[in-house]
Amino acid sequence: MGYKRVVASSLQHRKFQKTADMLRFLVLISFAALALAQLEPEPRYLEEDSVEERVVGGEVARANSWPWQISLQYKSGSSFHHTCGGTLVRRGWVMTAAHCVDRARTWRVVLGEHNLNSHEGGEQYMSVSQVYIHPNWNSNSVAGGWDIALLRLSSEASLNNKVQLGALPPSGQVLPHNNPCFITGWGRTQTGGQLSAQLKQASLPVVDHKTCTSYGWWGSTVKTSMVCAGGGRDSGCQGDSGGPLNCSVNGQWVVHGVTSFVSSSGCNAPKKPTVFTRSSAYISWMNNIMG
């Protein structure tokens, strides 16, 4: 009897030990998953369907002070709705994000726009004759990169004090940490928040690649073909996608980024700067398309 009891007790102890080990393993696994989630947060795109919304934080821009900013709109029923921003880079060409235009829709571009809800007299309305999405773009891979597209306009823009071309950087140029930049757009004013029809601007300094890809920030989600900017109170949000990251370089505004994604935990989540497609990584591709 005594021997049987000892054996049973030993078996129970081993079972208990196995259960405890399994629990410890599960706890470790869940911590590892949590750490991974912090390291590589889920990105979220910034296009907006049928609602006009704007930049988080920042301020309403002076009308037409970013004259290369465009509103990309799609047709629904008999009317057009703002969904993304973009940059006029040549008189007949607009640069925007691939994820804005990877669905078949009737598109138009509005140049010289400030208040989406009113016609102020300086607007030029252009239909889009052709959409060129980067061939490596994969709509199932949010942070895979290649989030860039060119739109060929049906006619050329008339340049004036309200409509100008955005300057593109030299191929391969990467800006230093804290280089001053502004995001502009009609996106949400906060995550799930207030709407406004007027163009907004917000100061988003560059966050260098080393910082942006470090632990607790974006980690390996961010590629070298992207630019991070901001990471504090101000950020891009739904409705800003495709619009420019306007950076001050040697006294000139240069469009260094195409607004791509933010963290799914919120547009201005701490240490999750707004992520842009780095336009200087795609200069040769764009030149080939535009001839």
Side-chain angles (χ1 to χ4, degrees):
M1 285 292 285
Y3 171 70
K4 280 182 180 172
R5 259 202 303 272
V6 168
V7 169
S9 153
S10 170
L11 280 170
Q12 273 179 322
H13 179 70
R14 256 181 284 177
K15 269 185 188 169
F16 175 77
Q17 199 61 44
K18 267 188 179 174
T19 309
D21 287 346
M22 182 56 77
L23 277 169
R24 262 198 298 274
F25 176 70
L26 287 171
V27 166
L28 275 170
I29 285 288
S30 67
F31 274 130
L34 191 68
L36 215 75
Q38 282 180 324
L39 192 62
E40 301 195 3
E42 190 63 34
R44 179 181 287 166
Y45 287 138
L46 301 178
E47 87 272 27
E48 185 62 50
D49 286 348
S50 73
V51 192
E52 299 91 9
E53 302 176 344
R54 64 179 185 180
V55 166
V56 174
E59 64 214 355
V60 173
R62 187 167 47 82
N64 307 117
S65 55
W66 305 100
W68 44 86
Q69 169 86 47
I70 66 95
S71 166
L72 175 64
Q73 304 181 354
Y74 68 92
K75 193 172 190 179
S76 177
S78 59
S79 54
F80 280 89
H81 302 276
H82 170 82
T83 184
C84 282
T87 302
L88 185 69
V89 290
R90 293 200 189 169
R91 286 180 60 196
W93 292 89
V94 160
M95 176 178 72
T96 189
H99 77 261
C100 289
V101 289
D102 60 5
R103 286 159 288 179
R105 281 176 159 173
T106 301
W107 304 103
R108 81 170 180 188
V109 162
V110 187
L111 316 167
E113 183 65 285
H114 178 65
N115 189 327
L116 293 166
N117 292 345
S118 65
H119 185 76
E120 294 157 303
E123 298 92 339
Q124 296 177 39
Y125 301 89
M126 307 273 187
S127 57
V128 173
S129 62
Q130 200 153 0
V131 174
Y132 295 86
I133 294 170
H134 196 284
N136 293 348
W137 164 248
N138 176 4
S139 57
N140 297 316
S141 176
V142 175
W146 318 100
D147 190 11
I148 190 167
L150 287 169
L151 311 178
R152 185 169 202 155
L153 305 180
S154 54
S155 53
E156 295 203 331
S158 300
L159 303 183
N160 54 41
N161 62 344
K162 294 182 178 181
V163 176
Q164 290 291 324
L165 302 182
L168 289 172
S171 184
Q173 186 177 56
V174 174
L175 294 180
H177 191 65
N178 274 335
N179 192 101
C181 300
F182 276 83
I183 186 175
T184 50
W186 290 275
R188 290 181 189 261
T189 54
Q190 62 187 67
T191 309
Q194 292 294 306
L195 315 180
S196 168
Q198 293 170 299
L199 184 71
K200 281 200 82 182
Q201 62 183 42
S203 170
L204 296 190
V206 167
V207 176
D208 66 14
H209 188 72
K210 187 183 175 190
T211 305
C212 198
T213 54
S214 61
Y215 179 80
W217 289 65
W218 273 110
S220 61
T221 302
V222 166
K223 315 295 184 285
T224 54
S225 59
M226 301 171 185
V227 182
C228 300
R233 183 178 59 87
D234 299 343
S235 73
C237 208
Q238 281 71 32
D240 290 327
S241 267
L245 178 67
N246 308 288
C247 297
S248 179
V249 184
N250 300 324
Q252 186 191 11
W253 290 111
V254 182
V255 179
H256 266 267
V258 178
T259 308
S260 187
F261 62 86
V262 291
S263 170
S264 62
S265 59
C267 289
N268 56 347
K271 295 187 177 179
K272 300 296 177 289
T274 307
V275 182
F276 301 81
T277 301
R278 177 167 63 82
S279 51
S280 67
Y282 297 93
I283 298 299
S284 61
W285 175 75
M286 287 193 278
N287 286 340
N288 285 339
I289 298 289
M290 297 187 292

